[in-house]
Amino acid sequence: MSPILQIRHVTKRFDGLVANNDISFEVGEREILSVIGPNGAGKSTLFKMISSFLRTTSGEVLFRGARISNLSPHAVARKGVVRTFQETTIFRSMTVRENVIVAHHLRARASLAGFFFGSSAARADEAAFAASADEIIGFLGLGAIADELASNLPQGHLRALGMAIGLATNPTVLLLDEPFAGMNHDETMRMVALVRRLRDERGITVLLVEHDMPAVMKISDRIVVLNFGEKIAEGTPAEIQANERVIEAYLGSEDAAIGM
């Protein structure tokens, strides 16, 4: 499996605090890779550097062999590396469909002035965005709530809408920040199935940060484990479950916390 994303010796310092220290790993094309670790392990900081919401202190992130670290976040997203957020970024006063249409504007060919004055290019973009939004909504099984205000949605549907917004940008690599947070078991299993479909049916590579260890063990091809800002393990779910350093990092939690 050839790497599509490479994290090379990435370090982030905040004054005297080292949040991430010399982290390296690769993500294969069409792979689902999870980054796990105790609270404060540096997972969110790493995610922000991969998506270029934070600059690296040293090291680099490569997408298909080209450096993307320390570019502007929208430039990284345009290249195909798209991050969803732990607090789902949505317009709560808009419907599900309107939110997904708006998210397509990263792909717009028309200028801002063109949208303002209703140019032919802008009209073509709007028609294409509406059709694409309907397709994404159908793919994610949100058709029944397409006209529902986002403010009325339960947690599971909000997470699915966040994923729809990410899909609207046409990602090659999708970074999911705690996609199962706040969900009950049934909602989590539905979301696990959706993430798998993104990979299996759309060919999207998925990198996710998550605390729900049973879900992580179920969905992941490989797992990277951070602790105190450093990578302490990398491997398949079975290898991670048997890794003594990982077990030690989770001391104080029940074995079930790491999927055992």
Side-chain angles (χ1 to χ4, degrees):
M1 186 181 295
S2 60
I4 191 170
L5 199 64
Q6 296 168 286
I7 291 81
R8 292 182 172 176
H9 306 291
V10 166
T11 296
K12 182 62 180 180
R13 295 188 181 92
F14 296 98
D15 296 325
L17 173 66
V18 181
N20 289 139
N21 184 33
D22 194 30
I23 295 176
S24 297
F25 61 92
E26 296 181 344
V27 185
E29 194 157 5
R30 297 174 64 97
E31 184 175 30
I32 298 175
L33 185 143
S34 296
V35 178
I36 68 170
N39 289 331
K43 305 181 298 296
S44 293
T45 299
L46 178 63
F47 242 43
K48 289 174 184 176
M49 287 190 290
I50 293 172
S51 54
S52 210
F53 280 82
L54 273 180
R55 296 181 65 85
T56 63
T57 302
S58 61
E60 61 182 0
V61 179
L62 304 180
F63 172 60
R64 288 182 167 161
R67 181 175 179 141
I68 61 170
S69 44
N70 302 339
L71 299 177
S72 63
H74 75 269
V76 172
R78 282 184 182 273
K79 289 177 181 292
V81 180
V82 175
R83 177 191 173 203
T84 65
F85 291 86
Q86 192 170 358
E87 296 298 328
T88 306
T89 304
I90 61 171
F91 295 102
R92 292 181 176 269
S93 61
M94 290 185 177
T95 67
V96 168
R97 187 172 186 268
E98 288 167 342
N99 267 280
V100 182
I101 289 173
V102 167
H104 280 79
H105 283 77
L106 184 71
R107 299 158 51 183
R109 294 173 298 171
S111 66
L112 183 60
F115 281 103
F116 184 80
F117 290 108
S119 69
S120 58
R123 291 195 301 272
D125 275 347
E126 292 289 5
F129 297 164
S132 176
D134 289 339
E135 190 275 329
I136 291 170
I137 288 168
F139 176 81
L140 294 177
L142 300 176
I145 60 167
D147 297 320
E148 186 71 49
L149 289 178
S151 59
N152 296 335
L153 299 181
Q155 185 67 25
H157 283 151
L158 279 173
R159 291 290 173 176
L161 175 56
M163 193 177 294
I165 289 169
L167 288 180
T169 65
N170 195 29
T172 302
V173 178
L174 192 60
L175 282 64
L176 302 177
D177 194 348
E178 299 196 20
F180 314 128
M183 293 186 181
N184 61 37
H185 175 76
D186 290 343
E187 289 173 330
T188 298
M189 290 303 100
R190 283 195 292 270
M191 188 61 73
V192 164
L194 280 180
V195 173
R196 280 183 173 155
R197 287 184 63 206
L198 294 182
R199 190 270 304 277
D200 296 342
E201 299 181 24
R202 293 189 171 234
I204 295 173
T205 301
V206 177
L207 180 63
L208 63 92
V209 162
E210 183 53 60
H211 284 288
D212 187 328
M213 289 302 101
V216 164
M217 295 299 166
K218 187 176 184 66
I219 199 173
S220 305
D221 296 313
R222 287 188 305 122
I223 299 169
V224 168
V225 186
L226 303 185
N227 193 33
F228 293 111
E230 298 189 347
K231 188 181 86 171
I232 63 169
E234 178 180 352
T236 65
E239 290 168 340
I240 294 302
Q241 286 175 316
N243 187 292
E244 291 186 5
R245 292 192 70 190
V246 177
I247 295 170
E248 182 179 352
Y250 278 94
L251 279 178
S253 300
E254 300 205 6
D255 289 343
I258 55 173
M260 294 182 172

